[in-house]
Amino acid sequence: MGTFYTDEQIKEAIAALEGHTPGIWERMKNRASMWTDPHNEEQEIELTAIVRVMTIVLPKVSFVVQAQDPSKAETCLSLDLGDAVRAAIASAKDAS
């Protein structure tokens, strides 16, 4: 699943996000699948909320805390989560 982290680590991060804000994973997938550019006000508000949760939760994920460079680890995790969102959207489309 991830470029930087294992599937289990990505699942741990998603679980941490969900533990903090239930339903955030679905919100992330929904927003990513319906995104327009430029963003409208509703999308900006939603994006801000998602980024805020990620900013709070990701630095606390165990493997980020234990990393030599937690800032880099958090950035890599954010990238992998973006890939996971896109993969989940593609998988849902394939299942339809």
Side-chain angles (χ1 to χ4, degrees):
M1 185 184 304
T3 301
F4 303 102
Y5 293 106
T6 66
D7 290 354
E8 291 76 28
Q9 289 171 313
I10 301 299
K11 289 175 186 174
E12 178 184 339
I14 292 168
L17 289 167
E18 282 289 320
H20 184 274
T21 306
I24 191 141
W25 182 243
E26 286 302 315
R27 287 170 56 192
M28 290 168 71
K29 292 188 302 184
N30 287 339
R31 280 294 155 206
S33 67
M34 302 185 297
W35 214 252
T36 61
D37 200 17
H39 308 305
N40 63 35
E41 185 176 344
E42 178 186 339
Q43 290 170 323
E44 286 294 333
I45 291 168
E46 185 74 9
L47 178 60
T48 300
I50 291 168
V51 170
R52 185 173 296 143
V53 171
M54 291 177 71
T55 302
I56 293 167
V57 174
L58 297 187
K60 298 177 184 176
V61 175
S62 66
F63 54 91
V64 172
V65 171
Q66 297 168 2
Q68 282 186 328
D69 185 347
S71 179
K72 180 179 177 184
E74 184 180 345
T75 299
C76 291
L77 180 54
S78 293
L79 294 170
D80 275 354
L81 285 170
D83 290 342
V85 166
R86 287 185 287 283
I89 291 168
S91 177
K93 286 181 182 177
D94 290 344
S96 309

